[in-house]
Amino acid sequence: MRNVISMNCDWRFIQKDAGLPDQLPGDWQKVNLPHTWNAIDGMDGNGAYDRGRYWYAKTFETPRQPLKGGRIYVEVLAAGQQATVYVNGTEAVYHEGGYSTFRADITDLCRENEENLLVIACSNEYKDSVYPQSADFTFYGGLYRGVNLISVPETHFDLDCFGGPGLAVTPTPDSVGNAVFEIETWVTNPDENFTVLYSIRDADGCEVASAARPASDTKTSIFVPDAKKWDLNAPYLYTVTATLQRRNEAYDEVSARVGVRSFSVDPDKGFIINGVETPLRGVSRHQDLLYKGNALTKEDHYHDAELIKELGANTIRLAHYQHNQYFYDACDELGFAVWAEIPFISVFNKDPAAHQNCISQMKELIIQNYNHPSIMFWGVSNEILIGGISEQLVENHKELNALCHQLDPTRLTTIAHVSMTPIESPIHGITDVESYNHYFGWYGGKMEDNGPWFDQFHQFHPEICLGLSEYGCEGIITYHGPKPACKDYSEEYQALYHEHMAKVLDERPWMWSSHVWNMFDFGCAARDEGGVAGRNNKGLMTMDRKTKKDSYFIYQAYWTTKPMVHICGRRYAQRAGETTQIRVYSNQPAVALYLNGKLLEEKSAEKVFVFEVALEEGFNTVLAVAGDVKDSITLEKVEKEPSIYVLPEVNERDEGVANWFKLAGDLDLSAPMEFPEGKYSIKDTFEELAKCPEALAVASESFKLAMNMTVAPGEGMWDMMKSMTLETGIEMAGSLCPDGFIESVNAKLIKFDKK
């Protein structure tokens, strides 16, 4: 029988390119897996992180083979981003892609009756043919998911097909409450002596159906009467086991937990599961944790999933790569509709080898995860039009979409468009459903722009199923104030933004999905915003999972039925002024507010309850009561609020915008939009503008003022943004820029000769 041996303990690691050792090094650092060398610098705000080729080593004894001709595999659950595996000094396998399982048959490299040396060289260095090329998150290096040895008989379920389990199960419900389970396995070295026995067991472990097939022709359909459905609110799981039998002996065994469900998406009805219209409302998730990087344990993954379930979400977009099997398992158990995708993100590389890497990663994603009932959508790319569109890019998308349907005809394909993707782009209509990443109210425009944009797109493209794949804004729990505004990074503005977005989405059930960016703050070593460098702070929770921001609770009010009430602003604990505003979120119809034990007011409202309160001198107790649930906070009335509540650069930026507009000629609306030959203009990319320091200075300053983002060579976002034109970048700001701004920028640029 198969024997899976964990290899996670007692490794040796060196954080330099030391080369292949011929014996276990005694002076390397001792580590256990999972492990990443970027656990600290991937998020600590120093502006960079270590991207190199580093080495792991471990000794092991050759597993005992009870049957003649048995095989031994090394299984690497993920290695960021490229890895080479050596056994006793010989290369066993090289793998490109940092997020999927890969294996190698090492039988012939192992030594009998003596120790073997396993060495793995991991690299998270940039490689031209490997995605992601550049993106807004840290590319952690290391053996961050673990390593196994797998010992199997000579005849066994396949271990060589893109890291897959060798078993595929497709349960399909019928119209009268039964189901048919289509099952197929792949057997290595079968002969007439081998049979595959299939068993289907219910959630209580009782067998409900079974079948047998010859090992050379394993495909079958098994009828299951009175099948229980897998649903978002009742995720019922069956266990399918395939046993490779030789007469009276079981040689190998694999299993999968699966669910019986049907789903579809309609442009006007949205998402439908098991015949019930059910808008998908949820979050996106990255796989890292504060000072652990991406080296998470099973418990960490399950804890994340449970926090998302507590929020009330019913869908998760697992950005921007294949996630750990533990997390998919948790989604199966808890009931989420999952969008799983490959890291074809932000920067398109025209090299055919890069496209082949996309194809390889897509095959691994689908083959390794086919049996998870929670997965319903395969994502082909994210914001890949940042650098513009080409015929090759469109054709590559068509090929990836076709590959998904070839490998898995049961699920739908999707795409996450960058905000500026035109409504009439040829990229539309390739995937089954589509979504946009929009940050109106943060990077550009106003939050009020969201609803009208969705309605306009839906009217123009009534045939397209539209979702919102990313939206959000930074929320740093240090910053507070009575007049929250875009780009002040305050917890209050983030809460107001999500109040608006939750209502916009609730009013549009025809939108098949929405995913908050992001559930948790996450590591992005290149970022430096809001006084918290090294991270993207758009999470509904902090990166350490310790604090739920106020924005978390507005979604809980919209998405949960368990009675809840939450008083916002508990970290805005010292307040000045004659009165202060108290906002309360609840899924109950009425909220009563008490100040220092006295009833102030009772209000009826929909999710958001707003009270104007005159605090008493000193400390005040505020209590909110909604039916049987209560929440309380303590506030202090002060003469002057602490300076730490306001990010200093907010005021500096406002002054800078005003001064720059003045220098730009008071934004002359009559300035002609001219593009003389041989001169720079807004239609040039940042990379082209960088050839002229003066032109780049104008472009960078204007983009910083419009978007509050720095784009310059050497800055962390440069590789991702350099192919974007300045015109496109400023257009992202939308209504944040006054009339005449883009004309004034262009008038400055056309003064410079191209070099």
Side-chain angles (χ1 to χ4, degrees), residues 397-609:
H397 275 78
K398 290 179 179 178
E399 186 176 347
L400 284 170
N401 186 70
L403 175 65
C404 290
H405 288 303
Q406 175 192 339
L407 294 173
D408 182 5
T410 72
R411 291 180 174 91
L412 300 177
T413 56
T414 187
I415 187 172
H417 295 300
V418 69
S419 185
M420 70 282 275
T421 298
I423 288 181
E424 298 183 72
S425 172
I427 206 71
H428 293 303
I430 296 175
T431 55
D432 299 319
V433 298
E434 303 182 31
S435 282
Y436 263 82
N437 296 352
H438 277 319
Y439 291 91
F440 302 135
W442 186 247
Y443 289 130
K446 301 184 292 290
M447 66 176 77
E448 292 80 9
D449 296 336
N450 283 279
W453 191 97
F454 301 140
D455 296 338
Q456 178 191 5
F457 186 97
H458 188 46
Q459 184 177 11
F460 190 88
H461 277 301
E463 79 286 1
I464 290 179
C465 301
L466 177 65
L468 180 59
S469 38
E470 290 183 23
Y471 67 101
C473 65
E474 304 267 331
I476 296 173
I477 61 175
T478 303
Y479 305 133
H480 306 282
K483 296 180 180 180
C486 181
K487 294 293 184 179
D488 68 3
Y489 294 88
S490 69
E491 187 174 9
E492 283 70 32
Y493 180 76
Q494 188 192 40
L496 286 176
Y497 171 94
H498 284 292
E499 282 180 27
H500 179 79
M501 293 305 299
K503 186 172 187 295
V504 165
L505 293 163
D506 192 58
E507 293 170 346
R508 291 166 176 81
W510 53 266
M511 294 184 66
W512 71 271
S513 72
S514 64
H515 297 92
V516 176
W517 192 258
N518 198 280
M519 178 62 188
F520 309 106
D521 295 344
F522 61 90
C524 179
R527 275 187 172 258
D528 187 2
E529 284 193 69
V532 182
R535 300 171 202 171
N536 187 313
N537 302 291
K538 295 184 183 69
L540 302 178
M541 291 186 66
T542 53
M543 193 174 181
D544 56 12
R545 283 42 168 185
K546 297 293 185 182
T547 303
K548 297 169 181 171
K549 304 176 190 179
D550 285 336
S551 53
Y552 177 100
F553 294 95
I554 186 60
Y555 290 108
Q556 196 174 65
Y558 269 92
W559 296 343
T560 63
T561 56
K562 181 181 177 181
M564 60 79 60
V565 64
H566 171 78
I567 304 174
C568 298
R570 63 198 58 222
R571 285 166 286 275
Y572 183 15
Q574 295 176 293
R575 304 193 187 188
E578 292 300 316
T579 63
T580 189
Q581 188 179 91
I582 303 292
R583 302 180 79 83
V584 179
Y585 299 152
S586 179
N587 56 10
Q588 301 301 291
V591 169
L593 195 74
Y594 294 80
L595 179 67
N596 299 322
K598 298 176 182 178
L599 176 64
L600 289 183
E601 189 177 2
E602 184 169 5
K603 284 193 172 185
S604 297
E606 185 67 24
K607 313 303 182 189
V608 181
F609 302 77

Side-chain angles (χ1 to χ4, degrees), residues 96-117:
E96 294 185 340
Y99 307 100
S100 51
T101 295
F102 62 97
R103 307 187 186 104
D105 185 336
I106 60 171
T107 310
D108 297 336
L109 302 179
C110 292
R111 300 165 179 161
E112 292 293 337
N113 303 317
E114 59 180 295
E115 282 193 332
N116 301 279
L117 179 63

Side-chain angles (χ1 to χ4, degrees), residues 158-370:
D158 181 76
L159 288 165
D160 295 303
C161 184
F162 292 95
L167 166 68
V169 185
T170 309
T172 304
D174 65 19
S175 59
V176 292
N178 307 309
V180 173
F181 285 53
E182 294 184 7
I183 309 176
E184 187 172 8
T185 52
W186 290 266
V187 180
T188 300
N189 298 321
D191 62 33
E192 68 278 3
N193 295 297
F194 287 91
T195 303
V196 178
L197 307 180
Y198 295 117
S199 173
I200 302 175
R201 295 182 179 274
D202 64 17
D204 295 322
C206 299
E207 185 173 85
V208 295
S210 63
R213 293 294 300 163
S216 58
D217 183 12
T218 65
K219 196 169 185 179
T220 190
S221 296
I222 305 178
F223 177 77
V224 176
D226 303 320
K228 293 185 179 180
K229 298 281 186 68
W230 185 98
D231 201 271
L232 298 173
N233 295 318
Y236 192 90
L237 293 170
Y238 288 90
T239 299
V240 175
T241 301
T243 303
L244 183 61
Q245 191 80 11
R246 187 181 188 276
R247 298 190 175 89
N248 284 356
E249 183 178 352
Y251 259 49
D252 197 10
E253 191 169 273
V254 290
S255 64
R257 292 188 305 171
V258 302
V260 178
R261 81 281 190 274
S262 64
F263 65 91
S264 61
V265 180
D266 183 272
D268 295 315
K269 297 179 181 178
F271 181 75
I272 302 165
I273 183 166
N274 299 325
V276 179
E277 295 175 24
T278 309
L280 294 179
R281 299 292 179 258
V283 298
S284 296
R285 184 245 189 189
H286 267 297
Q287 65 176 5
D288 59 352
L289 186 61
L290 187 66
Y291 302 138
K292 277 193 171 184
N294 58 356
L296 273 61
T297 64
K298 177 181 180 180
E299 291 72 23
D300 293 330
H301 287 291
Y302 269 76
H303 185 228
D304 276 6
E306 288 160 357
L307 288 168
I308 297 171
K309 197 66 178 180
E310 183 184 343
L311 176 72
N314 62 8
T315 181
I316 308 176
R317 180 183 175 208
L318 291 177
H320 289 295
Y321 38 74
Q322 184 175 165
H323 284 233
N324 196 306
Q325 287 296 315
Y326 289 138
F327 199 84
Y328 295 119
D329 289 342
C331 291
D332 294 341
E333 294 172 20
L334 294 175
F336 293 107
V338 169
W339 167 335
E341 64 191 29
I342 59 172
F344 188 26
I345 173 174
S346 304
V347 176
F348 171 54
N349 189 331
K350 296 179 181 179
D351 185 347
H355 182 52
Q356 289 305 309
N357 181 252
C358 269
I359 290 173
S360 175
Q361 293 202 53
M362 184 64 81
K363 288 179 178 178
E364 290 174 329
L365 176 69
I366 294 175
I367 291 170
Q368 292 176 23
N369 296 287
Y370 182 88

